[in-house]
């Protein structure tokens, strides 16, 4: 049932984007940038899906909190978009407000380390890309994040997904998260109270957004950091498809096994539904060969799940998040 007071939310129940014309955000004098019916496909690495009814781009955390307060008061549905590298958007788009956290929310700063010394404490706003963060930390001689090289996400998205590679994950470096809600910068949640697990973070409420991440990093020679990052990047490039749109690994690895191995064992490499394909190079990458529809990606994913279930008795769980499906 759609909350009262928001035409957009009422339209959501009908599954259409007409609510964009009536969105109360435009009459609220919110200072951030707003647009109607903005295509989401170019804002995701999958390059799939329809538009956002409304796109909102806050320029700072106070603006983000003000936006969340308006959306809560008006009962408007919303979702956060980082770099869109773990997201499949529905063909009809999202009939709500997409809050895009981009470069304008990408500040990186050193904090006093206090009892954490000799580690350095770093505060990184959620919209910062992992690539920018890695450049910054390498230049400062702060190591420990090199395993993230080549992951095309934002810091906020990486925290929500507990992004990881080569046996390491972001949660190992997280000291705390700054969480923003309609009430403002509502809380700083220490790492030990957060529940990170494989590609998952629990403990952030649905009405909260990760505004910034506090990390603890060790000093290291910049040249050593760059060398380690180059090593990881070469390993990544050797095993993954390049130059083709995807959201990385589509399924989570089941305990004690690899989704890619199970999909390959079921003989599914190269399987196609329309323009969506199981990558011939890495079976856990579902790729968009050009102009794929979300419905094709979903149909392919369901075929993969069914074949692996039949072959190995394993139920593959998507790692990718979904936007606009109901
Ligand atoms: C080629 C390729 C390789 C990849 N390799 C890896 C890999 O090795 N390891 C790995 O872990 N992942 C990998 N990924 C997946 C992806 O890059 C990561 O999951 C990344 O951390 C997602 O960040 P994002 O900013 O793109 O999140 P998005 O895709 O924008 O969002 C993902 C989810 O997090 C939510 N979200 C995003 N930001 C916030 C926020 N600030 N507050 C609250 N919720 C938020 C979104 O609403 C959504 O539900 C890969 C992807 C690609 C395309």
């Amino acid at each position: 049932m759609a909350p009262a007071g928001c035409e957009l939310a009422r339209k959501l129940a009908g599954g259409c984007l007409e609510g964009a014309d009536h969105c109360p955000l435009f009459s609220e004098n919110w200072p951030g940038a707003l647009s109607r019916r903005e295509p989401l496909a170019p804002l995701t690495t999958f390059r799939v899906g329809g538009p956002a009814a409304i796109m909102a781009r806050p320029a700072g955390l106070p603006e983000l909190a003000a936006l969340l307060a308006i959306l809560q008061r008006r009962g408007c549905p919303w979702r956060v978009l980082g770099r869109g590298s773990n997201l499949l958007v529905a063909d009809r788009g999202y009939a709500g407000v997409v809050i895009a956290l981009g470069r304008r929310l990408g500040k990186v700063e050193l904090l006093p380390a206090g009892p954490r010394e000799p580690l350095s404490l770093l505060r990184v706003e959620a919209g910062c890309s992992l690539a920018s963060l890695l450049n910054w930390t390498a230049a400062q001689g702060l190591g420990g994040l090199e395993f993230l090289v080549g992951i095309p996400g934002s810091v906020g998205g990486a925290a929500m997904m507990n992004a990881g590679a080569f046996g390491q994950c972001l949660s190992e470096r997280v000291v705390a998260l700054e969480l923003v809600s309609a009430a403002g910068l509502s809380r700083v949640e220490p790492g030990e109270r957060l529940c990170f697990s494989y590609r998952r973070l629990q403990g952030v409420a649905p009405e909260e957004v990760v505004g910034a991440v506090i990390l603890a990093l060790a000093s290291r020679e910049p040249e050593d950091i760059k060398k380690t990052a180059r090593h990881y990047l070469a390993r990544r490039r050797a095993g993954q498809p390049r130059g083709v749109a995807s959201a990385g690994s589509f399924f989570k690895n089941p305990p004690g096994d690899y989704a890619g191995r199970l999909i390959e064992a079921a003989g599914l490499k190269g399987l196609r539904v329309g323009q969506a394909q199981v990558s011939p190079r890495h079976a856990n990458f579902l790729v968009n060969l050009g102009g794929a529809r979300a419905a094709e990606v979903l149909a392919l994913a369901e075929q993969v799940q069914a074949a692996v279930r039949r072959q190995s008795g394993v139920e593959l769980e998507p790692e990718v998040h979904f936007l606009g499906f109901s």
Side-chain angles (χ1 to χ4, degrees), residues 45 79-87 101 126 130 150-158 160-165 199 208-211 236 240 246-249 285 319 321:
T45 54
R79 280 285 295 275
V80 178
L81 177 72
R83 286 293 187 283
S85 63
N86 202 50
L87 210 55
L101 303 185
L130 292 174
I151 301 181
S154 66
V155 168
M160 286 306 288
M161 298 304 306
N162 192 15
R199 301 295 174 268
E208 291 178 319
V209 175
V210 176
R236 183 176 284 279
Q240 294 182 359
S246 78
S249 293
F285 275 55
E319 176 176 324
H321 285 202

Side-chain angles (χ1 to χ4, degrees), residues 135-314:
N135 284 338
W136 197 94
T137 49
Q140 297 284 325
L142 294 174
L145 296 176
E146 297 84 293
F147 63 94
L148 294 170
V149 69
I151 301 181
S154 66
V155 168
M160 286 306 288
M161 298 304 306
N162 192 15
F166 308 109
Q168 300 172 70
C169 51
L170 186 67
S171 58
E172 292 162 28
R173 309 282 178 266
V174 172
V175 171
L177 297 182
E178 289 183 16
L179 301 173
V180 182
S181 72
L185 174 55
S186 53
R187 59 196 179 108
V188 177
E189 193 69 356
E192 52 276 13
R193 293 240 304 266
L194 293 161
C195 193
F196 284 105
S197 55
Y198 171 59
R199 301 295 174 268
R200 191 162 181 210
L201 164 61
Q202 288 164 287
V204 175
E207 65 275 12
E208 291 178 319
V209 175
V210 176
V213 179
I214 316 291
L215 301 167
L217 300 179
S219 295
R220 217 179 151 204
E221 280 301 318
E223 270 319 305
D224 291 344
I225 295 174
K226 288 179 192 159
K227 198 171 151 198
T228 308
R230 278 197 300 271
H231 164 75
Y232 284 138
L233 197 57
R235 282 180 62 186
R236 183 176 284 279
R237 285 183 172 158
Q240 294 182 359
R242 292 182 66 190
V244 62
S246 78
S249 293
F250 196 92
F251 297 103
K252 293 184 182 182
N253 289 324
D257 211 334
Y258 293 95
R261 191 198 71 75
L262 292 166
I263 298 168
E264 190 170 350
L268 301 175
K269 268 190 165 178
L271 178 71
R272 268 179 82 161
V273 174
Q275 287 299 94
Q277 185 186 41
V278 176
S279 166
R281 192 169 169 86
H282 187 314
N284 197 18
F285 275 55
L286 303 191
V287 298
N288 172 6
L289 296 174
R293 291 183 301 112
E296 293 170 345
V297 178
L298 268 193
L300 182 64
E302 281 168 11
Q303 284 191 29
V304 168
Q305 281 177 313
V308 168
R309 196 182 300 127
R310 266 197 313 275
Q311 167 93 9
S312 326
V314 174

Side-chain angles (χ1 to χ4, degrees), residues 69-158:
I70 296 170
L71 296 175
Q72 186 187 62
R73 181 159 39 80
R74 297 289 198 150
C76 289
W78 56 270
R79 280 285 295 275
V80 178
L81 177 72
R83 286 293 187 283
S85 63
N86 202 50
L87 210 55
L88 180 65
V89 178
D91 291 315
R92 67 177 184 180
Y94 178 62
V97 178
V98 169
I99 304 173
L101 303 185
R103 284 175 195 86
R104 295 203 288 172
L105 258 170
K107 205 162 75 186
V108 185
E109 59 187 329
L110 276 170
L111 301 176
R116 298 259 172 189
E117 274 192 65
L119 295 178
S120 295
L121 278 192
L122 210 59
R123 178 182 179 275
V124 191
E125 287 185 345
C128 180
S129 71
L130 292 174
S132 306
L133 175 61
L134 284 174
N135 284 338
W136 197 94
T137 49
Q140 297 284 325
L142 294 174
L145 296 176
E146 297 84 293
F147 63 94
L148 294 170
V149 69
I151 301 181
S154 66
V155 168

